[in-house]
C-alpha cells in the first residue's frame, strides 16, 4: 500500500477505512498518542496506538525522531485540535532514534544551537515552515517572470570578469597551493591554471545577463552568488542566491515599477500558498518579541506587515532628499548615528537606511539618483554629471533588499568611467561589445533572495533562512 502524505490525510473530506502514513515521530504521549510529521505540512497527524495490544519492545522504540510507518483507519478525532486522526492497526519502526542522543528534543532550542545542527533543525516546526516558504517563494519568482515572457538565463558561476566591483571575490584555481608556478617576473603564472587565467566565483550575473537582454529583450537570472566580504552581520552571507532581471528599453522608472510589482507578486503568492506556515511563523515572532522591550517590538504582526507591502506604494525619493532628511534628523543632531551625516556624497550605512524606512517613512522606500562616486561603473550618468540612475529598495527590518540601475548605454561615457576607475577594458571586451553593436537604454536590478525570505518569514538572522549558511569561519555541512 502506498503511503499518503499527512497534508492530504488532514485535508481529507471523508473518513477512510485503511490508510498508511510514513514520517517522523515528533512526540509520543501516554504510550498512546504519536504526533507524526512528514514535512508535507506544519501540522502533525495524531496516530492513536492500541498500546494494550502492542508489544512493549515496540512501544519503547516510538521515540522523538524515529521514522515510523503506521497503517490504520482515518477516523474523526475525539480530541481537540484536529479533525482526523489515525487509529493504528499496524505499526512498523523504520528507523530508531535514541531519545537520549537525538539533539532535537521536543522543547525550545536556541537559534544558535539549531544553526550548529543545521542538518537536523529542518525537523523542527519553525525550520520546516521556513524551508517550505523558501521553496514556494522560488517558484513564485519563476512564475512571475515566466508569465511575463522573461527568459531564464543561467549565467556562469566561475567567471574571469573581475570588474563588477560588488565585493571581494573567492578565487577559483586548480594550481597546487604549496607549489605555485611562477612566471619570469616572479608572479604566479595563471597561464598554467585550469582556465589559463585568473578566475573567481561570480558576485553577480549582471554583466553576462546584460548581453542576453540585448538579444532576448527581457531576461532574469536566479542563482548562487559569492562574496568574500568579511562582514559578519545578520544580513550577509558568503554564498547567497540572487535574482537579477535585465530589460532592454527600460529606464530607471520602468525598473522601479518592475521591482515593486515583482516583490508584491511573490509576497502575495506566499500569502496564498503558505497560510499555515505563515500563521505559525507569525506566532513564533510574537513569542520571540515578548522578550524584547516594548519599544523594540514591531508595531505590526507578520501578516499585517506582509499585507502592508501589498497595499501601499513604496515611497520613492532621491538620494539628495534622503540626505536632507537624515541631516536634519534627531539621531543625527544628537550624534546618535555611528556615522554622522554631514555632507552630500556620504555613503548610507544600514543605520541610516533603517532610520528612513522604520522611523521616518514607516514603509518600504526606493532611493534613486545616488552620487556616481559611491556606485558601480556601469550605472547611467545623469545630466548633472555627478549622480547616476541607481536605485536601492530598503525594507523595514532588512535594510537594502534590492540594488539596481539604468545602465550606461553610451560607449564613450562608459569607457571614460572605466578608465577613471582603472577597470581593465580588455578584460571586459565582450561587455563593451553590447555598447558597440546595437546599444540601447536598458535597466535591471538584483534582489537578494535570502533577504526576501527573511522579510516574509519574519526571521531576523539570514543564517536561518538558507539551508546550510556559509559565513566567515563557517562552512560546516
Ligand atoms: O546591490 P548589489 O551588490 O547589486 C548587484 O550585485 C547588481 N549587480 C545587481 C543588478 O543590478 N543586477 O546586490 C544586490 C542585492 C542586495 O540588494 C542584497 O539584497 C543582496 O543582493 N546581497 C546580499 N545578500 C546576502 N548576503 C550578501 N553578502 C549580499 N550582498 C548583496
Ligand atoms: Mg547594493
Amino acid at each position: 500500500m502506498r503511503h499518503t502524505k499527512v497534508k492530504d490525510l488532514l485535508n481529507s473530506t471523508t473518513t477512510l477505512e485503511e490508510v498508511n502514513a510514513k514520517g517522523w515521530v515528533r512526540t509520543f504521549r501516554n504510550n498512546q498518542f504519536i504526533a507524526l510529521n512528514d514535512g508535507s505540512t506544519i501540522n502533525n497527524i495524531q496516530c492513536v496506538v492500541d498500546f494494550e495490544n502492542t508489544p512493549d519492545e515496540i512501544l519503547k522504540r516510538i521515540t522523538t525522531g524515529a521514522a515510523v510507518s503506521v497503517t490504520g483507519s482515518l477516523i474523526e478525532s475525539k480530541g481537540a485540535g484536529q479533525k482526523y486522526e489515525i487509529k493504528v492497526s499496524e505499526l512498523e519502526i523504520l528507523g530508531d532514534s535514541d531519545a537520549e542522543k537525538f539533539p532535537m528534543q521536543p522543547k525550545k532550542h536556541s537559534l544558535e544551537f539549531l544553526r550548529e545542527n543545521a542538518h537536523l533543525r529542518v525537523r523542527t516546526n519553525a525550520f520546516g515552515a521556513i524551508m517550505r516558504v523558501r521553496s514556494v517563494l522560488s517558484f513564485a519568482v519563476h512564475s512571475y517572470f515566466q508569465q511575463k515572457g522573461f527568459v531564464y538565463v543561467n549565467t556562469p558561476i566561475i567567471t574571469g570578469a573581475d570588474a563588477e566591483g560588488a565585493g571581494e571575490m573567492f578565487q577559483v584555481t586548480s594550481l597546487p597551493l604549496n607549489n605555485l608556478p611562477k612566471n619570469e617576473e616572479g608572479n604566479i603564472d595563471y597561464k598554467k591554471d585550469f582556465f589559463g587565467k585568473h578566475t573567481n566565483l561570480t558576485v553577480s550575473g549582471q554583466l553576462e545577463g546584460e548581453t542576453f537582454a540585448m538579444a532576448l529583450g527581457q531576461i532574469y537570472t536566479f542563482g548562487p552568488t559569492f562574496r568574500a566580504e568579511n562582514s559578519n552581520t545578520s544580513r550577509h552571507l558568503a554564498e547567497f542566491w540572487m535574482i537579477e532581471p535585465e530589460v532592454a528599453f527600460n529606464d530607471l522608472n520602468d525598473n522601479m515599477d518592475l521591482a515593486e510589482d515583482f516583490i508584491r507578486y511573490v509576497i502575495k503568492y506566499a500569502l496564498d500558498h503558505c497560510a499555515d506556515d505563515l500563521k505559525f511563523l507569525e506566532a513564533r515572532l510574537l513569542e520571540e518579541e515578548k522578550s524584547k522591550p516594548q519599544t523594540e517590538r514591531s508595531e505590526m504582526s507578520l501578516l499585517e506587515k506582509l499585507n502592508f507591502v501589498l497595499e501601499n506604494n513604496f515611497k520613492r525619493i532621491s538620494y539628495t532628499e534622503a540626505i536632507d532628511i537624515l541631516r536634519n534628523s534627531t539621531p543625527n543632531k544628537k550624534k546618535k548615528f555611528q556615522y554622522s551625516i554631514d555632507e552630500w556624497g556620504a555613503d548610507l550605512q544600514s543605520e541610516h537606511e533603517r532610520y528612513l524606512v522604520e522611523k521616518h517613512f514607516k514603509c518600504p522606500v526606493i532611493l534613486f539618483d545616488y552620487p556616481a562616486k559611491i556606485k558601480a561603473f556601469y550605472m547611467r550618468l545623469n545630466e548633472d554629471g555627478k549622480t547616476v540612475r541607481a536605485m536601492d529598495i530598503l525594507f523595514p527590518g532588512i535594510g537594502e533588499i534590492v540594488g539596481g540601475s539604468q545602465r550606461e548605454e553610451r560607449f564613450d561615457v562608459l569607457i571614460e568611467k572605466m578608465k577613471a576607475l582603472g577597470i581593465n577594458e580588455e578584460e571586459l571586451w565582450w561587455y563593451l561589445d553590447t555598447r558597440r553593436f546595437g546599444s540601447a537604454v536598458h535597466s535591471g536590478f538584483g534582489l537578494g533572495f535570502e533577504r526576501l525570505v527573511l522579510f516574509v518569514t519574519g526571521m531576523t538572522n539570514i543564517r536561518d533562512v538558507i539551508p546550510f549558511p556559509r559565513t566567515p569561519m563557517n562552512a560546516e555541512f
Side-chain angles (χ1 to χ4, degrees):
M1 186 185 190
R2 179 93 200 123
H3 69 276
T4 308
K5 280 185 294 183
V6 168
K7 183 179 183 177
D8 297 335
L9 292 172
L10 292 173
N11 285 337
S12 177
T13 46
T14 62
T15 57
L16 296 163
E17 208 130 294
E18 197 184 43
V19 297
N20 173 251
K22 290 187 169 89
W24 294 268
V25 175
R26 282 291 170 80
T27 55
F28 185 40
R29 252 179 338 107
N30 297 349
N31 244 357
Q32 200 177 0
F33 303 108
I34 303 174
L36 189 73
N37 191 281
D38 69 352
S40 61
T41 155
I42 186 119
N43 301 308
N44 305 324
I45 192 157
Q46 172 157 290
C47 308
V48 187
V49 179
D50 178 6
F51 65 101
E52 279 163 342
N53 294 308
T54 308
D56 246 11
E57 310 89 79
I58 296 286
L59 291 175
K60 271 196 217 125
R61 292 170 64 198
I62 308 175
T63 53
T64 298
V68 299
S69 166
V70 296
T71 307
S73 49
L74 189 72
I75 60 170
E76 267 169 38
S77 177
K78 289 173 211 97
Q82 67 266 328
K83 192 163 161 223
Y84 291 115
E85 62 188 24
I86 299 176
K87 185 165 177 273
V88 179
S89 53
E90 212 183 303
L91 184 140
E92 191 190 340
I93 308 283
L94 302 173
D96 288 285
S97 169
D98 185 334
E100 309 248 298
K101 294 198 181 122
F102 183 55
M104 300 294 112
Q105 297 290 322
K107 63 160 196 176
K108 209 172 156 45
H109 292 290
S110 75
L111 290 168
E112 189 49 49
F113 172 82
L114 292 168
R115 267 170 230 147
E116 286 160 11
N117 289 280
H119 61 307
L120 294 174
R121 68 177 175 176
V122 67
R123 295 200 199 181
T124 64
N125 282 332
F127 283 88
I130 294 163
M131 294 307 155
R132 276 186 300 269
V133 171
R134 183 182 166 109
S135 163
V136 166
L137 280 170
S138 349
F139 187 77
V141 168
H142 287 292
S143 161
Y144 178 81
F145 287 119
Q146 294 286 334
Q147 273 179 30
K148 291 197 169 290
F150 282 61
V151 178
Y152 178 39
V153 181
N154 302 118
T155 47
I157 287 170
I158 299 173
T159 170
D162 199 354
E164 151 80 7
E168 298 291 316
M169 300 189 134
F170 288 102
Q171 191 177 330
V172 175
T173 180
S174 61
L175 291 177
L177 292 181
N178 51 4
N179 184 22
L180 292 167
K182 298 280 166 66
N183 57 21
E184 275 163 19
E185 292 95 65
N187 298 321
I188 297 169
D189 188 1
Y190 284 108
K191 291 210 173 67
K192 301 226 164 69
D193 204 349
F194 189 90
F195 298 105
K197 64 189 287 196
H198 186 265
T199 51
N200 297 299
L201 293 179
T202 187
V203 292
S204 158
Q206 178 198 320
L207 302 192
E208 292 89 350
E210 280 185 54
T211 68
F212 267 53
M214 297 313 282
L216 300 171
Q218 320 170 40
I219 65 99
Y220 70 107
T221 72
F222 185 6
T225 40
F226 307 87
R227 296 192 185 179
E229 5 176 37
N230 206 353
S231 36
N232 230 325
T233 77
S234 57
R235 292 181 323 281
H236 288 87
L237 290 164
E239 175 181 301
F240 64 99
W241 287 65
M242 184 150 59
I243 295 133
E244 296 185 275
E246 191 71 36
V247 185
F249 317 117
N250 261 14
D251 65 14
L252 189 64
N253 277 319
D254 302 323
N255 202 29
M256 294 194 247
D257 291 344
L258 177 68
E260 235 186 286
D261 190 52
F262 166 61
I263 292 175
R264 279 210 191 92
Y265 176 92
V266 292
I267 291 178
K268 172 85 167 56
Y269 196 94
L271 281 166
D272 290 347
H273 293 82
C274 303
D276 286 351
D277 287 326
L278 291 177
K279 210 172 85 196
F280 174 86
L281 290 166
E282 171 169 78
R284 193 209 71 87
L285 184 60
L286 212 65
E287 191 59 40
E288 184 183 81
E289 293 207 324
K290 275 186 192 157
S291 63
K292 289 188 184 169
Q294 191 76 46
T295 50
E296 283 170 33
R297 294 183 202 166
S298 355
E299 287 167 29
M300 287 186 244
S301 75
L302 179 61
L303 294 180
E304 282 168 346
K305 240 171 45 178
L306 298 179
N307 279 303
F308 182 88
V309 173
L310 299 189
E311 287 152 18
N312 294 278
N313 287 335
F314 300 0
K315 178 78 189 168
R316 298 182 186 187
I317 60 158
S318 71
Y319 167 91
T320 304
E321 291 169 86
I323 285 289
D324 278 342
I325 293 169
L326 287 167
R327 208 190 271 142
N328 296 317
S329 69
T330 316
N332 199 52
K333 286 182 177 154
K334 291 193 171 163
K335 303 250 177 289
K336 287 276 164 60
F337 285 140
Q338 199 185 339
Y339 298 87
S340 73
I341 296 282
D342 305 317
E343 284 178 57
W344 190 93
D347 204 355
L348 300 184
Q349 305 295 325
S350 87
E351 57 180 346
H352 309 127
E353 297 176 343
R354 295 185 66 161
Y355 173 82
L356 289 171
V357 173
E358 288 159 29
K359 298 281 186 306
H360 189 83
F361 289 111
K362 295 181 189 288
C363 74
V365 173
I366 310 185
L367 290 187
F368 60 89
D369 285 352
Y370 279 81
K373 280 213 175 77
I374 57 171
K375 288 289 181 189
F377 75 94
Y378 49 70
M379 298 184 178
R380 176 87 159 59
L381 194 63
N382 276 315
E383 274 59 58
D384 63 12
K386 59 175 193 171
T387 60
V388 285
R389 288 193 191 149
M391 64 125 176
D392 276 5
I393 303 187
L394 314 177
F395 258 47
I398 309 287
E400 179 190 334
I401 192 166
V402 162
S405 63
Q406 183 177 322
R407 318 306 187 187
E408 183 55 76
E409 84 283 10
R410 298 164 298 183
F411 183 84
D412 299 345
V413 183
L414 186 60
I415 284 282
E416 210 156 294
K417 201 93 168 278
M418 287 169 70
K419 281 206 179 103
L421 292 169
I423 293 168
N424 193 335
E425 290 164 45
E426 270 122 64
E427 207 174 275
L428 285 181
W429 63 274
W430 53 273
Y431 183 69
L432 289 166
D433 268 0
T434 55
R435 275 61 169 180
R436 281 191 187 102
F437 308 113
S439 188
V441 165
H442 63 289
S443 302
F445 62 84
L447 175 132
F449 186 54
E450 283 74 22
R451 295 199 183 166
L452 172 72
V453 183
L454 264 184
F455 184 74
V456 173
T457 58
M459 298 302 289
T460 43
N461 192 315
I462 200 160
R463 294 167 176 80
D464 297 330
V465 298
I466 186 161
F468 299 102
R470 300 292 177 243
T471 50
M473 304 313 289
N474 174 38
E476 196 63 45
F477 309 105

